[in-house]
Amino acid sequence: DILGDTDGDGKVSILDATANQRHLASLPTQAYNATPADADEDGKVTILDATAIQRHLASLPTNKNIGKTIA
């Protein structure tokens, strides 16, 4: 798994932030994996994880592990 790759397509993209948001809003999501969805690695999936992914994509300061392989 890749941290931040919520939809499991092998890359971190805006679709991953959207998948997090849809999951949190209890809306249908085609693919969702809670482990990489915890982009800020605080042990829970919240809207802050979607924000962390968005910040990563915009090259703003965030969790430096986003985009790296996780166990």
Side-chain angles (χ1 to χ4, degrees), residues 19-67:
N20 273 18
Q21 292 168 329
R22 291 182 64 83
H23 173 77
L24 291 167
S26 299
L27 295 171
T29 306
Q30 284 189 336
Y32 178 82
N33 185 337
T35 301
D38 182 18
D40 63 8
E41 298 182 293
D42 69 352
K44 55 190 179 271
V45 178
T46 68
I47 196 64
L48 296 177
D49 296 299
T51 301
I53 293 168
Q54 291 167 333
R55 291 180 65 84
H56 169 77
L57 294 170
S59 299
L60 296 171
T62 191
N63 183 356
K64 294 178 182 176
N65 291 328
I66 295 174

